[in-house]
Amino acid sequence: MDTLETRELRYFMAVAEELHFGRAAERLGMAQPPLSRAIQQLERRLGVSLLKRNRRGVSLTGAGEVLLHEGRAALDATTAAARRTRRAGGTDTPGGPRHRLVLAVKAGASHELLHKLLDAYAAEPEAAEIEVLPSGTCEQEDMLRDGRADVALMHAPFNSLAGFDSEELMTEGQIAILPAGHPLAAHKTLSLADVRDIPDLPLARWSRHGVYPPGPGPEIHDQTQLAQLIALGRTVAVFPDSARAWLWAEHTAVPLTDAPPVVTHIAWPAHSRSVALAGLIRTATRL
């Protein structure tokens, strides 16, 4: 048996992520007994044990770990196909809507580049409608994989470009964004060590794939929250130099001398055959 149904994958993913049949059944909106039978049937069809069950609870076997990883990618692919198909609906009908592309961008980053790209592409004949979708740190990857976005501006080394096609657009340095009245704000330059160990000003923490790194700094959910916390003297943040575009008067940007350069790429799914997307990529590489 070399095929899996998306229903089976959804059932298994719920159990694998919750590691509890009761919570998984509640999440799926179904009773626990049929869920248990469905997982047992899946194990029989595959000929492997996916879960270890004992009085302490549920854990994944080695095969279960593989299916958890592969299953996420498979469900993302089916979700992406549905989302992109809906966006394309009607574009081949006379008088129908223009093709629409969703561009995921990290909020506050590459501001000037994004303006130039949107203006240049809008001037192209037969340009598609562009919906700009702001995201948090590293969310662009997931948005491309599950179809919420067709294309993204991504930033190495923070974003992973694995599995995507991409073109390099811009390289820039990094800055520390501090409260304007802080003593370090008067420095012409700083090092990463300087901003990592400020007793009264802990580094802001952004989630990566839903997980926040350890540390005393505040957990940041969006750019507005971050801007306010910096202005109030509660945190410091490290951003690409292009983030200067959104700074408030209560902020000061200081260049970091030893931070690695940030390379902005335009990235898209490797299997894409979208003519509209190809036109946007051509415009981006001409900037």
Side-chain angles (χ1 to χ4, degrees):
M1 197 283 295
D2 293 325
T3 60
L4 291 169
E5 297 178 3
T6 55
R7 175 182 59 84
E8 293 176 311
L9 281 177
R10 284 196 299 271
Y11 286 179
F12 171 74
M13 294 293 291
V15 176
E17 291 173 352
E18 298 289 346
L19 292 178
H20 190 281
F21 275 91
R23 289 194 298 269
E26 183 177 355
R27 168 174 154 181
L28 292 165
M30 63 188 298
Q32 183 174 334
L35 175 60
S36 298
R37 289 194 296 270
I39 297 300
Q40 291 169 354
Q41 182 181 12
L42 176 60
E43 290 177 314
R44 286 195 297 271
R45 290 177 62 206
L46 290 173
V48 297
S49 294
L50 300 171
L51 301 168
K52 298 176 185 175
R53 305 162 177 86
N54 55 47
R55 283 179 291 183
R56 292 193 301 264
V58 178
S59 60
L60 292 172
T61 64
E65 292 279 2
V66 171
L67 186 57
L68 175 61
H69 175 76
E70 298 288 345
R72 281 179 179 145
L75 289 177
D76 279 350
T78 59
T79 301
R83 285 172 169 161
R84 292 187 176 117
T85 299
R86 282 196 294 268
R87 281 202 290 275
T91 58
D92 53 357
T93 303
R98 284 193 300 163
H99 195 99
R100 180 166 62 96
L101 293 174
V102 177
L103 171 62
V105 298
K106 178 182 173 183
S110 305
H111 186 76
E112 184 178 352
L113 174 66
L114 178 60
H115 265 290
K116 289 180 178 178
L117 174 59
L118 295 176
D119 288 346
Y121 181 65
E124 293 290 327
E126 305 298 324
E129 177 187 350
I130 302 294
E131 177 185 342
V132 177
L133 184 60
S135 72
T137 301
C138 300
E139 287 183 349
Q140 305 101 303
E141 304 161 37
D142 292 338
M143 289 176 171
L144 282 184
R145 291 191 175 98
D146 68 16
R148 282 176 289 168
D150 302 295
V151 59
L153 294 184
M154 293 167 64
H155 311 279
F158 306 111
N159 293 122
S160 171
L161 296 168
F164 304 120
D165 285 340
S166 64
E167 290 284 348
E168 182 178 325
L169 301 182
M170 180 178 74
T171 299
E172 59 185 319
Q174 296 193 62
I175 54 174
I177 304 176
L178 302 120
H182 194 276
L184 288 179
H187 289 226
K188 291 185 177 180
T189 61
L190 292 169
S191 68
L192 285 171
D194 292 332
V195 298
R196 283 175 178 155
D197 191 24
I198 308 174
D200 58 337
L201 208 62
L203 269 170
R205 292 183 295 137
W206 291 89
S207 68
R208 184 177 178 86
H209 307 301
V211 178
Y212 284 91
E219 294 182 355
I220 301 302
H221 307 291
D222 57 55
Q223 180 187 326
T224 301
Q225 177 204 16
L226 174 65
Q228 186 169 33
L229 288 174
I230 295 174
L232 291 171
R234 301 301 178 89
T235 192
V236 60
V238 174
F239 264 77
D241 189 77
S242 55
R244 292 175 185 270
W246 60 262
L247 297 189
W248 298 1
E250 295 92 339
H251 301 154
T252 295
V254 181
L256 293 168
T257 56
D258 57 349
V262 176
V263 183
T264 300
H265 295 76
I266 188 166
W268 63 96
H271 62 270
S272 177
R273 297 294 182 270
S274 167
V275 174
L277 176 57
L280 179 64
I281 303 304
R282 284 195 299 272
T283 300
T285 57
R286 290 198 299 263
L287 292 178

